[in-house]
mmCIF file of all heavy atoms in Angstrom:
data_model
loop_
_atom_site.group_PDB
_atom_site.id
_atom_site.type_symbol
_atom_site.label_atom_id
_atom_site.label_comp_id
_atom_site.label_asym_id
_atom_site.label_seq_id
_atom_site.Cartn_x
_atom_site.Cartn_y
_atom_site.Cartn_z
ATOM 1 N N VAL A 1 -19.678 -8.603 -18.653
ATOM 2 C CA VAL A 1 -19.119 -9.280 -17.478
ATOM 3 C C VAL A 1 -20.006 -8.957 -16.275
ATOM 4 O O VAL A 1 -20.444 -7.816 -16.094
ATOM 5 C CB VAL A 1 -17.662 -8.814 -17.241
ATOM 6 C CG1 VAL A 1 -17.185 -9.167 -15.843
ATOM 7 C CG2 VAL A 1 -16.748 -9.428 -18.286
ATOM 8 N N VAL A 2 -20.270 -9.950 -15.416
ATOM 9 C CA VAL A 2 -21.264 -9.765 -14.358
ATOM 10 C C VAL A 2 -20.660 -9.432 -12.996
ATOM 11 O O VAL A 2 -21.393 -9.090 -12.063
ATOM 12 C CB VAL A 2 -22.174 -10.996 -14.231
ATOM 13 C CG1 VAL A 2 -22.943 -11.226 -15.522
ATOM 14 C CG2 VAL A 2 -21.371 -12.236 -13.861
ATOM 15 N N ALA A 3 -19.335 -9.540 -12.851
ATOM 16 C CA ALA A 3 -18.675 -9.160 -11.592
ATOM 17 C C ALA A 3 -17.184 -9.029 -11.867
ATOM 18 O O ALA A 3 -16.655 -9.604 -12.825
ATOM 19 C CB ALA A 3 -18.925 -10.198 -10.492
ATOM 20 N N MET A 4 -16.498 -8.292 -10.992
ATOM 21 C CA MET A 4 -15.066 -8.060 -11.162
ATOM 22 C C MET A 4 -14.380 -8.121 -9.806
ATOM 23 O O MET A 4 -14.850 -7.527 -8.829
ATOM 24 C CB MET A 4 -14.832 -6.692 -11.803
ATOM 25 C CG MET A 4 -13.368 -6.285 -11.921
ATOM 26 S SD MET A 4 -13.216 -4.720 -12.830
ATOM 27 C CE MET A 4 -11.449 -4.407 -12.676
ATOM 28 N N ALA A 5 -13.275 -8.837 -9.759
ATOM 29 C CA ALA A 5 -12.461 -8.911 -8.547
ATOM 30 C C ALA A 5 -11.207 -8.075 -8.748
ATOM 31 O O ALA A 5 -10.576 -8.130 -9.808
ATOM 32 C CB ALA A 5 -12.081 -10.352 -8.235
ATOM 33 N N LEU A 6 -10.845 -7.307 -7.736
ATOM 34 C CA LEU A 6 -9.661 -6.458 -7.809
ATOM 35 C C LEU A 6 -8.705 -6.789 -6.677
ATOM 36 O O LEU A 6 -9.065 -6.719 -5.494
ATOM 37 C CB LEU A 6 -10.050 -4.985 -7.720
ATOM 38 C CG LEU A 6 -8.883 -3.985 -7.747
ATOM 39 C CD1 LEU A 6 -8.129 -4.065 -9.075
ATOM 40 C CD2 LEU A 6 -9.374 -2.565 -7.490
ATOM 41 N N HIS A 7 -7.474 -7.177 -7.045
ATOM 42 C CA HIS A 7 -6.396 -7.303 -6.071
ATOM 43 C C HIS A 7 -5.808 -5.911 -5.900
ATOM 44 O O HIS A 7 -5.340 -5.307 -6.868
ATOM 45 C CB HIS A 7 -5.332 -8.282 -6.588
ATOM 46 C CG HIS A 7 -4.237 -8.539 -5.600
ATOM 47 N ND1 HIS A 7 -3.440 -9.664 -5.665
ATOM 48 C CD2 HIS A 7 -3.790 -7.846 -4.531
ATOM 49 C CE1 HIS A 7 -2.555 -9.631 -4.669
ATOM 50 N NE2 HIS A 7 -2.753 -8.526 -3.993
ATOM 51 N N GLY A 8 -5.807 -5.419 -4.668
ATOM 52 C CA GLY A 8 -5.402 -4.051 -4.402
ATOM 53 C C GLY A 8 -3.902 -3.822 -4.426
ATOM 54 O O GLY A 8 -3.365 -3.140 -3.548
ATOM 55 N N ARG A 9 -3.217 -4.389 -5.397
ATOM 56 C CA ARG A 9 -1.795 -4.155 -5.611
ATOM 57 C C ARG A 9 -1.538 -3.981 -7.106
ATOM 58 O O ARG A 9 -2.301 -4.465 -7.938
ATOM 59 C CB ARG A 9 -0.944 -5.321 -5.086
ATOM 60 C CG ARG A 9 -0.823 -5.414 -3.574
ATOM 61 C CD ARG A 9 0.123 -6.548 -3.183
ATOM 62 N NE ARG A 9 0.417 -6.560 -1.758
ATOM 63 C CZ ARG A 9 -0.307 -7.197 -0.840
ATOM 64 N NH1 ARG A 9 -1.375 -7.869 -1.232
ATOM 65 N NH2 ARG A 9 0.025 -7.157 0.432
ATOM 66 N N THR A 10 -0.427 -3.331 -7.435
ATOM 67 C CA THR A 10 -0.019 -3.233 -8.825
ATOM 68 C C THR A 10 0.812 -4.455 -9.216
ATOM 69 O O THR A 10 1.238 -5.234 -8.358
ATOM 70 C CB THR A 10 0.831 -1.982 -9.047
ATOM 71 O OG1 THR A 10 2.043 -2.095 -8.286
ATOM 72 C CG2 THR A 10 0.082 -0.716 -8.641
ATOM 73 N N MET A 11 1.057 -4.567 -10.499
ATOM 74 C CA MET A 11 1.935 -5.623 -10.988
ATOM 75 C C MET A 11 3.324 -5.484 -10.387
ATOM 76 O O MET A 11 3.964 -6.471 -10.020
ATOM 77 C CB MET A 11 2.003 -5.547 -12.515
ATOM 78 C CG MET A 11 2.816 -6.623 -13.178
ATOM 79 S SD MET A 11 2.899 -6.353 -14.952
ATOM 80 C CE MET A 11 4.294 -5.230 -15.040
ATOM 81 N N ALA A 12 3.815 -4.246 -10.296
ATOM 82 C CA ALA A 12 5.160 -4.010 -9.770
ATOM 83 C C ALA A 12 5.286 -4.466 -8.318
ATOM 84 O O ALA A 12 6.351 -4.909 -7.892
ATOM 85 C CB ALA A 12 5.522 -2.526 -9.889
ATOM 86 N N GLN A 13 4.208 -4.381 -7.569
ATOM 87 C CA GLN A 13 4.259 -4.763 -6.156
ATOM 88 C C GLN A 13 4.340 -6.271 -5.958
ATOM 89 O O GLN A 13 4.791 -6.728 -4.911
ATOM 90 C CB GLN A 13 3.011 -4.248 -5.432
ATOM 91 C CG GLN A 13 3.030 -2.767 -5.109
ATOM 92 C CD GLN A 13 1.762 -2.362 -4.378
ATOM 93 O OE1 GLN A 13 0.715 -2.163 -4.986
ATOM 94 N NE2 GLN A 13 1.855 -2.282 -3.061
ATOM 95 N N HIS A 14 3.855 -7.054 -6.912
ATOM 96 C CA HIS A 14 3.710 -8.494 -6.700
ATOM 97 C C HIS A 14 2.872 -8.689 -5.434
ATOM 98 O O HIS A 14 1.698 -8.408 -5.426
ATOM 99 C CB HIS A 14 5.067 -9.169 -6.602
ATOM 100 C CG HIS A 14 5.734 -9.329 -7.933
ATOM 101 N ND1 HIS A 14 6.130 -10.543 -8.428
ATOM 102 C CD2 HIS A 14 6.079 -8.418 -8.888
ATOM 103 C CE1 HIS A 14 6.677 -10.398 -9.614
ATOM 104 N NE2 HIS A 14 6.649 -9.108 -9.915
ATOM 105 N N TYR A 15 3.486 -9.163 -4.334
ATOM 106 C CA TYR A 15 2.753 -9.311 -3.072
ATOM 107 C C TYR A 15 3.384 -8.467 -1.969
ATOM 108 O O TYR A 15 3.124 -8.685 -0.779
ATOM 109 C CB TYR A 15 2.704 -10.794 -2.667
ATOM 110 C CG TYR A 15 1.954 -11.619 -3.676
ATOM 111 C CD1 TYR A 15 2.630 -12.289 -4.692
ATOM 112 C CD2 TYR A 15 0.570 -11.697 -3.645
ATOM 113 C CE1 TYR A 15 1.942 -13.023 -5.648
ATOM 114 C CE2 TYR A 15 -0.129 -12.427 -4.594
ATOM 115 C CZ TYR A 15 0.565 -13.082 -5.592
ATOM 116 O OH TYR A 15 -0.122 -13.792 -6.540
ATOM 117 N N ALA A 16 4.207 -7.508 -2.356
ATOM 118 C CA ALA A 16 4.908 -6.665 -1.382
ATOM 119 C C ALA A 16 3.985 -5.566 -0.847
ATOM 120 O O ALA A 16 2.951 -5.245 -1.437
ATOM 121 C CB ALA A 16 6.138 -6.042 -2.031
ATOM 122 N N GLY A 17 4.400 -5.002 0.276
ATOM 123 C CA GLY A 17 3.678 -3.872 0.831
ATOM 124 C C GLY A 17 2.278 -4.244 1.288
ATOM 125 O O GLY A 17 1.956 -5.406 1.534
ATOM 126 N N LYS A 18 1.449 -3.245 1.384
ATOM 127 C CA LYS A 18 0.081 -3.420 1.866
ATOM 128 C C LYS A 18 -0.892 -3.217 0.722
ATOM 129 O O LYS A 18 -0.731 -2.302 -0.092
ATOM 130 C CB LYS A 18 -0.214 -2.406 2.982
ATOM 131 C CG LYS A 18 -1.558 -2.583 3.655
ATOM 132 C CD LYS A 18 -1.721 -1.596 4.792
ATOM 133 C CE LYS A 18 -3.080 -1.786 5.485
ATOM 134 N NZ LYS A 18 -3.269 -0.800 6.585
ATOM 135 N N ALA A 19 -1.899 -4.062 0.636
ATOM 136 C CA ALA A 19 -2.919 -3.915 -0.398
ATOM 137 C C ALA A 19 -3.677 -2.606 -0.196
ATOM 138 O O ALA A 19 -4.006 -2.227 0.929
ATOM 139 C CB ALA A 19 -3.882 -5.093 -0.365
ATOM 140 N N ASP A 20 -3.948 -1.922 -1.289
ATOM 141 C CA ASP A 20 -4.645 -0.637 -1.253
ATOM 142 C C ASP A 20 -6.146 -0.883 -1.401
ATOM 143 O O ASP A 20 -6.661 -0.976 -2.506
ATOM 144 C CB ASP A 20 -4.116 0.261 -2.379
ATOM 145 C CG ASP A 20 -4.745 1.646 -2.374
ATOM 146 O OD1 ASP A 20 -5.609 1.901 -1.506
ATOM 147 O OD2 ASP A 20 -4.371 2.465 -3.240
ATOM 148 N N TRP A 21 -6.815 -0.968 -0.272
ATOM 149 C CA TRP A 21 -8.246 -1.222 -0.303
ATOM 150 C C TRP A 21 -9.031 -0.021 -0.817
ATOM 151 O O TRP A 21 -10.181 -0.176 -1.247
ATOM 152 C CB TRP A 21 -8.732 -1.623 1.093
ATOM 153 C CG TRP A 21 -8.251 -2.960 1.554
ATOM 154 C CD1 TRP A 21 -7.465 -3.842 0.861
ATOM 155 C CD2 TRP A 21 -8.539 -3.585 2.807
ATOM 156 N NE1 TRP A 21 -7.230 -4.977 1.601
ATOM 157 C CE2 TRP A 21 -7.877 -4.851 2.804
ATOM 158 C CE3 TRP A 21 -9.267 -3.223 3.923
ATOM 159 C CZ2 TRP A 21 -7.946 -5.728 3.889
ATOM 160 C CZ3 TRP A 21 -9.338 -4.091 5.010
ATOM 161 C CH2 TRP A 21 -8.695 -5.334 4.986
ATOM 162 N N ASP A 22 -8.439 1.177 -0.789
ATOM 163 C CA ASP A 22 -9.143 2.357 -1.302
ATOM 164 C C ASP A 22 -9.486 2.187 -2.784
ATOM 165 O O ASP A 22 -10.523 2.682 -3.246
ATOM 166 C CB ASP A 22 -8.295 3.622 -1.114
ATOM 167 C CG ASP A 22 -8.202 4.058 0.337
ATOM 168 O OD1 ASP A 22 -9.042 3.611 1.154
ATOM 169 O OD2 ASP A 22 -7.304 4.857 0.658
ATOM 170 N N THR A 23 -8.614 1.526 -3.539
ATOM 171 C CA THR A 23 -8.906 1.324 -4.957
ATOM 172 C C THR A 23 -10.122 0.435 -5.142
ATOM 173 O O THR A 23 -10.906 0.622 -6.086
ATOM 174 C CB THR A 23 -7.691 0.709 -5.686
ATOM 175 O OG1 THR A 23 -7.351 -0.544 -5.076
ATOM 176 C CG2 THR A 23 -6.492 1.639 -5.634
ATOM 177 N N ILE A 24 -10.287 -0.520 -4.256
ATOM 178 C CA ILE A 24 -11.463 -1.392 -4.323
ATOM 179 C C ILE A 24 -12.725 -0.573 -4.071
ATOM 180 O O ILE A 24 -13.727 -0.709 -4.782
ATOM 181 C CB ILE A 24 -11.338 -2.545 -3.308
ATOM 182 C CG1 ILE A 24 -10.106 -3.400 -3.629
ATOM 183 C CG2 ILE A 24 -12.606 -3.405 -3.299
ATOM 184 C CD1 ILE A 24 -9.731 -4.395 -2.540
ATOM 185 N N ALA A 25 -12.667 0.315 -3.081
ATOM 186 C CA ALA A 25 -13.807 1.190 -2.789
ATOM 187 C C ALA A 25 -14.114 2.102 -3.967
ATOM 188 O O ALA A 25 -15.289 2.348 -4.301
ATOM 189 C CB ALA A 25 -13.515 2.019 -1.537
ATOM 190 N N THR A 26 -13.070 2.606 -4.625
ATOM 191 C CA THR A 26 -13.266 3.464 -5.802
ATOM 192 C C THR A 26 -13.960 2.699 -6.910
ATOM 193 O O THR A 26 -14.874 3.214 -7.576
ATOM 194 C CB THR A 26 -11.909 3.993 -6.303
ATOM 195 O OG1 THR A 26 -11.310 4.783 -5.280
ATOM 196 C CG2 THR A 26 -12.079 4.837 -7.558
ATOM 197 N N LEU A 27 -13.557 1.449 -7.123
ATOM 198 C CA LEU A 27 -14.167 0.632 -8.174
ATOM 199 C C LEU A 27 -15.622 0.323 -7.837
ATOM 200 O O LEU A 27 -16.478 0.295 -8.730
ATOM 201 C CB LEU A 27 -13.367 -0.657 -8.360
ATOM 202 C CG LEU A 27 -13.713 -1.501 -9.581
ATOM 203 C CD1 LEU A 27 -13.413 -0.737 -10.865
ATOM 204 C CD2 LEU A 27 -12.946 -2.822 -9.563
ATOM 205 N N VAL A 28 -15.914 0.085 -6.571
ATOM 206 C CA VAL A 28 -17.300 -0.140 -6.143
ATOM 207 C C VAL A 28 -18.167 1.043 -6.538
ATOM 208 O O VAL A 28 -19.294 0.881 -7.052
ATOM 209 C CB VAL A 28 -17.369 -0.384 -4.623
ATOM 210 C CG1 VAL A 28 -18.811 -0.348 -4.131
ATOM 211 C CG2 VAL A 28 -16.728 -1.716 -4.256
ATOM 212 N N ASP A 29 -17.670 2.253 -6.314
ATOM 213 C CA ASP A 29 -18.427 3.461 -6.660
ATOM 214 C C ASP A 29 -18.569 3.637 -8.170
ATOM 215 O O ASP A 29 -19.550 4.223 -8.643
ATOM 216 C CB ASP A 29 -17.738 4.694 -6.068
ATOM 217 C CG ASP A 29 -17.835 4.757 -4.556
ATOM 218 O OD1 ASP A 29 -18.742 4.106 -3.997
ATOM 219 O OD2 ASP A 29 -17.007 5.443 -3.930
ATOM 220 N N GLU A 30 -17.603 3.144 -8.927
ATOM 221 C CA GLU A 30 -17.564 3.370 -10.371
ATOM 222 C C GLU A 30 -18.475 2.427 -11.145
ATOM 223 O O GLU A 30 -19.076 2.825 -12.157
ATOM 224 C CB GLU A 30 -16.126 3.197 -10.871
ATOM 225 C CG GLU A 30 -15.931 3.381 -12.355
ATOM 226 C CD GLU A 30 -16.162 4.803 -12.829
ATOM 227 O OE1 GLU A 30 -16.023 5.733 -12.005
ATOM 228 O OE2 GLU A 30 -16.500 4.987 -14.005
ATOM 229 N N LEU A 31 -18.608 1.179 -10.682
ATOM 230 C CA LEU A 31 -19.316 0.164 -11.460
ATOM 231 C C LEU A 31 -20.697 -0.140 -10.890
ATOM 232 O O LEU A 31 -20.966 0.056 -9.703
ATOM 233 C CB LEU A 31 -18.492 -1.126 -11.508
ATOM 234 C CG LEU A 31 -17.089 -1.043 -12.118
ATOM 235 C CD1 LEU A 31 -16.458 -2.431 -12.171
ATOM 236 C CD2 LEU A 31 -17.112 -0.407 -13.500
ATOM 237 N N ASP A 32 -21.543 -0.671 -11.763
ATOM 238 C CA ASP A 32 -22.867 -1.131 -11.339
ATOM 239 C C ASP A 32 -22.877 -2.621 -11.030
ATOM 240 O O ASP A 32 -23.785 -3.109 -10.360
ATOM 241 C CB ASP A 32 -23.892 -0.833 -12.441
ATOM 242 C CG ASP A 32 -24.046 0.658 -12.704
ATOM 243 O OD1 ASP A 32 -24.008 1.432 -11.729
ATOM 244 O OD2 ASP A 32 -24.184 1.042 -13.879
ATOM 245 N N ILE A 33 -21.888 -3.359 -11.553
ATOM 246 C CA ILE A 33 -21.798 -4.791 -11.283
ATOM 247 C C ILE A 33 -21.100 -5.027 -9.946
ATOM 248 O O ILE A 33 -20.399 -4.134 -9.446
ATOM 249 C CB ILE A 33 -21.052 -5.530 -12.415
ATOM 250 C CG1 ILE A 33 -19.626 -4.977 -12.558
ATOM 251 C CG2 ILE A 33 -21.825 -5.438 -13.712
ATOM 252 C CD1 ILE A 33 -18.779 -5.714 -13.586
ATOM 253 N N PRO A 34 -21.267 -6.215 -9.343
ATOM 254 C CA PRO A 34 -20.596 -6.488 -8.068
ATOM 255 C C PRO A 34 -19.077 -6.425 -8.200
ATOM 256 O O PRO A 34 -18.500 -6.909 -9.179
ATOM 257 C CB PRO A 34 -21.052 -7.915 -7.731
ATOM 258 C CG PRO A 34 -22.324 -8.106 -8.483
ATOM 259 C CD PRO A 34 -22.165 -7.321 -9.747
ATOM 260 N N VAL A 35 -18.434 -5.833 -7.203
ATOM 261 C CA VAL A 35 -16.976 -5.760 -7.123
ATOM 262 C C VAL A 35 -16.527 -6.582 -5.928
ATOM 263 O O VAL A 35 -17.059 -6.432 -4.817
ATOM 264 C CB VAL A 35 -16.489 -4.311 -6.979
ATOM 265 C CG1 VAL A 35 -14.990 -4.269 -6.691
ATOM 266 C CG2 VAL A 35 -16.817 -3.521 -8.244
ATOM 267 N N LEU A 36 -15.550 -7.466 -6.154
ATOM 268 C CA LEU A 36 -15.012 -8.312 -5.095
ATOM 269 C C LEU A 36 -13.616 -7.810 -4.738
ATOM 270 O O LEU A 36 -12.846 -7.419 -5.614
ATOM 271 C CB LEU A 36 -14.943 -9.766 -5.552
ATOM 272 C CG LEU A 36 -16.244 -10.556 -5.670
ATOM 273 C CD1 LEU A 36 -17.149 -9.994 -6.758
ATOM 274 C CD2 LEU A 36 -15.960 -12.012 -5.982
ATOM 275 N N GLY A 37 -13.296 -7.845 -3.451
ATOM 276 C CA GLY A 37 -12.005 -7.363 -2.988
ATOM 277 C C GLY A 37 -11.045 -8.489 -2.682
ATOM 278 O O GLY A 37 -11.424 -9.534 -2.150
#
C-alpha cells in the first residue's frame, strides 16, 4: 500500500468528541509511506 489515511477517532466515537491528531502524528513517525490526516 502506498499511503494511508487515518481518521483520528475510534469506532466507538463515531463522530463524537474531538479527533485525536496525536495518533496521526504517531503513525507518521511509524511508517515510511505517506500518512494522511
Side-chain angles (χ1 to χ4, degrees):
V1 164
V2 298
M4 175 175 175
L6 178 63
H7 184 159
R9 286 184 172 88
T10 64
M11 183 184 86
Q13 283 181 280
H14 284 237
Y15 297 95
K18 186 177 181 181
D20 183 359
W21 291 359
D22 288 342
T23 59
I24 299 169
T26 298
L27 191 63
V28 169
D29 290 339
E30 179 67 24
L31 301 184
D32 297 322
I33 60 176
V35 172
L36 287 65

